[in-house]
Amino acid sequence: MPGFKFQYYFSKIKWFTDFEPSAYCFGEIADYEYQLPAGWKIGSNPSTGSNWIQGTNSVTITSDLSTGNGARIFIRPKNTCGTNLNNYQVPASIVVLRAAAALTISASPNTVACGSTSPVVFTIDNTSSLTGITGYMWELGNNNNWTYNGSPAPSSIYTTTNTLTLSPVCGTSLVSPSASVVLTNAGNTCNIPVPAPTLTVTAPSLSIQGTQSLCSGTENYLIVGAPCNSPAIWSIEPGTGIANLNSTNGVSTSLTKVSDGKIVLTAKVASCATEYPVTLPIQVGTYTSSDFTLTASSGSNGYLSWCPNTTYGFTLGGPASNYSWYYPTGWTPNYISGYICAIRSPSTSYPPTGDVSCTFTEPCGTTISKTIFVAYSSSGCSPITEPAYTYWPNPVTYSISVSVSSANMGLITIRAIEIVNASNYMTVFSQNYGTGVTNTSVTTYYYQPGNYLLRVYDGTTWRTYQFVKM
């Protein structure tokens, strides 16, 4: 590999005699010998690494950048009595130390989503401040899966600037380019290699489009977000008895109902040298009551132990519509909207038991009802004195203040506040609070005049109060 030329010069050495008053009495030495690292040369004379090359006290040395790092250049006076004769002089030496050039390649962006065809700009950063750079040779290799200026990128690209813009081929595995910086010095060309950068390819954003309720007949399903050039294989679990999978290849398939049950539809998308699975749980046939849950705040699924003058929230979980809520005599609804219901218990223990239920329609059209049994608790009720919170002013104009009542200070805090418009049960304010909050205020200036419900949560129980906005 050609290298750099450099001039080496030193003052001529003078002959001298030991033990005589006048040491330098025979003039100067004109001829010298050099032993260089292998591949280096003086003029046109190459070095084998062990031969001595004749020169003077001023020579031009051409280095070979592939050899010599850590080696030495030896210099001694030439024995002119014959060829290659040892003069028994200890040669002077120079250590060759060649620091690696600090060259790196960066990619922008350095993360590419599988399936993206957006350009990526690669930049060689010359942090060593090298001079004499005349070009850049980029190495991508064959089948690199990039496009360059709209065409498949070749295995090597030469540029006169330190940047290279490439675009990914959709759905393929990418190879980051390495490079070599081309320098010239004293008419010689040198290539300094630069390693490839790390380029991360992330998973595509995949989903399966199609109903999760296969009530009857046949339904179609489609992979959304699949990159181009990406084959897919479909499967269902369990594989038989509930539905038939009508196609196992391609970006779409269909399912035909066989019997009621649950399946998981899976598509494995092969892209960017990786297999990406995506799933969709599907109910085949009619949902049953066990597919839904009815829960209450401060209660378990199916049972609630209640205390007087306390608001409890009930939530129905599962895919449904056409909700109808029912509650015992003496209970007062504070807020009902779809799958959520908030009801205040009676001020006394009567009636001690009852049912809170929700009747709804499951996706295939069957009406289902879920029920929670509610029972008065004589021993499990909180010792909190009502009212647990105080609020002012009422009526309100600009803001409403809320505080733990003095009788309950140290027993409860404010963990959440909701304000609900009593005319349409729309929530106009909702805020969670950290631990230890005992008083706060809510701006009400922009609320429409009318009646509102102030709901305060202590971490266990919701309590509801009424106020008027002027």
Side-chain angles (χ1 to χ4, degrees):
M1 178 186 297
F4 289 104
K5 289 184 178 181
F6 59 92
Q7 189 75 24
Y8 182 71
Y9 172 83
F10 58 91
S11 299
K12 293 180 180 180
I13 301 173
K14 295 181 179 182
W15 288 106
F16 70 94
T17 55
D18 287 334
F19 313 114
E20 292 190 17
S22 179
Y24 304 108
C25 57
F26 294 108
E28 297 176 332
I29 300 175
D31 300 312
Y32 298 88
E33 293 177 322
Y34 295 78
Q35 190 179 83
L36 308 175
W40 292 35
K41 60 184 178 179
I42 295 177
S44 59
N45 299 313
S47 171
T48 64
S50 60
N51 62 318
W52 290 88
I53 303 173
Q54 183 174 346
T56 66
N57 65 313
S58 177
V59 293
T60 299
I61 298 176
T62 302
S63 63
D64 185 331
L65 293 182
S66 64
T67 63
N69 192 27
R72 291 175 179 267
I73 298 174
F74 293 99
I75 310 164
R76 68 184 184 187
K78 178 178 173 55
N79 186 338
T80 58
C81 294
T83 304
N84 293 324
L85 295 179
N86 195 332
N87 58 17
Y88 299 101
Q89 296 293 315
V90 177
S93 66
I94 301 172
V95 178
V96 177
L97 294 176
R98 183 170 56 243
L103 297 170
T104 58
I105 301 177
S106 60
S108 180
N110 60 6
T111 300
V112 178
C114 175
S116 171
T117 57
S118 299
V120 178
V121 179
F122 295 93
T123 303
I124 296 179
D125 302 307
N126 181 13
T127 54
S128 292
S129 300
L130 293 179
T131 60
I133 298 175
T134 57
Y136 305 85
M137 181 61 73
W138 304 82
E139 301 295 341
L140 287 80
N142 297 322
N143 304 316
N144 52 66
N145 296 323
W146 293 98
T147 61
Y148 177 61
N149 292 334
S151 301
S155 60
S156 299
I157 300 173
Y158 180 83
T159 65
T160 56
T161 63
N162 67 326
T163 61
L164 177 68
T165 300
L166 302 172
S167 297
V169 175
C170 177
T172 57
S173 179
L174 300 174
V175 177
S176 295
S178 60
S180 58
V181 174
V182 184
L183 298 95
T184 59
N185 177 267
N188 292 281
T189 300
C190 172
N191 296 325
I192 299 179
V194 188
T198 300
L199 188 67
T200 302
V201 178
T202 60
S205 178
L206 300 174
S207 63
I208 297 177
Q209 178 180 303
T211 181
Q212 289 186 265
S213 303
L214 177 54
C215 298
S216 61
T218 300
E219 295 287 350
N220 296 320
Y221 295 87
L222 173 69
I223 300 173
V224 177
C228 51
N229 307 320
S230 302
I233 298 178
W234 296 85
S235 63
I236 56 173
E237 181 64 34
T240 59
I242 299 177
N244 290 331
L245 181 64
N246 300 319
S247 175
T248 58
N249 296 289
V251 296
S252 64
T253 190
S254 63
L255 290 172
T256 301
K257 177 188 174 183
V258 175
S259 63
D260 290 354
K262 301 179 186 297
I263 64 171
V264 175
L265 176 64
T266 299
K268 294 182 179 179
V269 180
S271 189
C272 303
T274 305
E275 188 175 77
Y276 300 103
V278 57
T279 61
L280 183 70
I282 299 173
Q283 172 72 34
V284 181
T286 304
Y287 287 81
T288 65
S289 177
S290 62
D291 296 315
F292 299 86
T293 59
L294 181 60
T295 57
S297 59
S298 303
S300 59
N301 188 23
Y303 178 80
L304 171 67
S305 177
W306 60 271
C307 299
N309 285 327
T310 303
T311 298
Y312 297 95
F314 298 85
T315 303
L316 181 79
S321 60
N322 304 321
Y323 303 89
S324 296
W325 289 90
Y326 304 91
Y327 39 85
T329 301
W331 289 64
T332 304
N334 286 337
Y335 178 75
I336 298 177
S337 178
Y339 63 92
I340 297 177
C341 176
I343 319 173
R344 187 173 183 82
S345 61
S347 57
T348 66
S349 61
Y350 183 84
T353 61
D355 291 322
V356 174
S357 63
C358 181
T359 300
F360 52 91
T361 303
E362 56 87 34
C364 293
T366 301
T367 299
I368 298 175
S369 183
K370 296 287 290 187
T371 298
I372 284 183
F373 178 73
V374 295
Y376 168 73
S377 172
S378 60
S379 60
C381 293
S382 169
I384 294 175
T385 304
E386 294 293 345
Y389 299 96
T390 59
Y391 61 100
W392 70 95
N394 188 15
V396 61
T397 302
Y398 296 102
S399 65
I400 186 169
S401 297
V402 183
S403 177
V404 176
S405 65
S406 58
N408 293 294
M409 192 66 68
L411 299 176
I412 58 174
T413 61
I414 300 172
R415 298 305 303 270
I417 290 179
E418 291 183 355
I419 296 179
V420 178
N421 189 324
S423 63
N424 56 17
Y425 291 102
M426 296 294 293
T427 300
V428 296
F429 177 82
S430 179
Q431 176 69 55
N432 293 325
Y433 298 88
T435 58
V437 176
T438 58
N439 61 83
T440 187
S441 63
V442 179
T443 300
T444 58
Y445 180 76
Y446 296 102
Y447 295 178
Q448 294 295 320
N451 295 317
Y452 288 83
L453 303 176
L454 170 66
R455 303 185 65 232
V456 187
Y457 183 58
D458 64 7
T460 301
T461 302
W462 284 96
R463 294 174 175 81
T464 304
Y465 310 91
Q466 296 184 358
F467 69 91
V468 176
K469 168 63 170 64
M470 298 295 291

